[in-house]
Amino acid sequence: MTADAGRPEGAASAGAASGDAVGTAAAAVTEAVTEAVTAEDGGGAAPRRRRMWWPAALAAAVALALGVPALVASGTSASGTSLSVPADDSPEAGFARDMATHHQQAVDLSFVVRDRTSDEPTRTLAFDIINTQANQRGMMMGWLDQWGLTQHSTAKPMAWMKMGHDYQANDGSLMPGMATNTQIAKLRSLSGRDAEVFYLQLMIEHHKGGVEMAQGYVDLARNDTEKRLAQSMVVAQTSELQLMTDMLTERGAAPGVPAS
């Protein structure tokens, strides 16, 4: 008799599904962090830098390894309180896609400032944002894959919020709070205190946009798991807004991105 002889067939199927989900989600996390490193290195990341930032991928993979099996075992399949899969134009799919895009830029900005200052508080903040938002991005990409939905859509960003957002994408800024390509290029040209101040100013606006989007999903959510993630974003990023404002004050600066 095998060790699983007394195991219900349904439980075995759930275990297999859990393993598949973990593999898919962990792969999405690894891809997210690798993309961030590659983007910062201009498409040719050196082995040294990949080794330096592997803890972000590992932390995200561990979180998913613990979380995804629980979702599958509970019968929610990351789709809330039932087995139904979110529609392609649902708030669940829209939030996952848009916040993943929003998060990716925060990770990119944080990699930029990390290499342009030796200030430990700024580098610590950047490290925390890289780890947290790469982790969360991987989770959302994993859910989309689990739902059988594409990671990108032709729908206007934030259309799922049904609030009549009239934000006009410009110069790479796709959603409220996102930096433009011009602003990112400016950050890359700065160093020391100037880089710290401009990064904090950009990230404050970025967080404001992220908090608005996360709260917008909380108000519409039909997926308990995704709602909890969005709520955690609201709490954490609101706290970081105060931290970054204080850091600007210490540097004799104030929130608000200067006109380029």
Side-chain angles (χ1 to χ4, degrees), residues 1-87:
M1 178 182 294
T2 65
D4 293 335
R7 188 180 183 185
E9 182 178 350
S13 298
S18 172
D20 292 343
V22 171
T24 297
V29 173
T30 301
E31 179 184 357
V33 178
T34 300
E35 285 178 358
V37 176
T38 302
E40 168 59 11
D41 288 342
R48 176 184 61 80
R49 181 164 293 173
R50 289 183 185 279
R51 288 197 299 271
M52 181 177 181
W53 290 102
W54 68 262
L58 178 61
V62 170
L64 288 168
L66 295 174
V68 174
L71 291 172
V72 176
S74 67
T76 64
S77 190
S79 57
T81 57
S82 72
L83 292 173
S84 62
V85 172

Side-chain angles (χ1 to χ4, degrees), residues 26-169:
V29 173
T30 301
E31 179 184 357
V33 178
T34 300
E35 285 178 358
V37 176
T38 302
E40 168 59 11
D41 288 342
R48 176 184 61 80
R49 181 164 293 173
R50 289 183 185 279
R51 288 197 299 271
M52 181 177 181
W53 290 102
W54 68 262
L58 178 61
V62 170
L64 288 168
L66 295 174
V68 174
L71 291 172
V72 176
S74 67
T76 64
S77 190
S79 57
T81 57
S82 72
L83 292 173
S84 62
V85 172
D88 191 63
D89 62 350
S90 66
E92 283 64 40
F95 174 71
R97 289 175 178 132
D98 287 351
M99 189 58 84
T101 298
H102 211 268
H103 272 20
Q104 183 61 59
Q105 190 185 77
V107 171
D108 293 342
L109 290 171
S110 298
F111 270 120
V112 172
V113 79
R114 181 207 66 177
D115 291 342
R116 283 154 181 78
T117 180
S118 59
D119 179 68
E120 284 306 314
T122 303
R123 289 173 60 89
T124 297
L125 172 66
F127 182 84
D128 288 346
I129 289 174
I130 289 167
N131 276 276
T132 300
Q133 298 207 17
N135 183 341
Q136 293 173 345
R137 182 180 186 277
M139 293 174 69
M140 292 182 286
M141 292 293 92
W143 288 340
L144 287 168
D145 188 78
Q146 196 178 355
W147 295 330
L149 302 177
T150 61
Q151 296 184 358
H152 304 283
S153 170
T154 57
K156 183 179 179 180
M158 300 175 72
W160 54 270
M161 292 179 68
K162 304 186 186 306
M163 294 175 59
H165 270 283
D166 58 357
Y167 185 80
Q168 298 299 313

Side-chain angles (χ1 to χ4, degrees), residues 109-110 113 125-126 129 187 195-203:
L109 290 171
S110 298
V113 79
L125 172 66
I129 289 174
L187 179 62
E196 296 160 22
V197 168
F198 196 51
Y199 168 74
L200 291 168
Q201 291 169 334
L202 289 176
M203 196 56 67

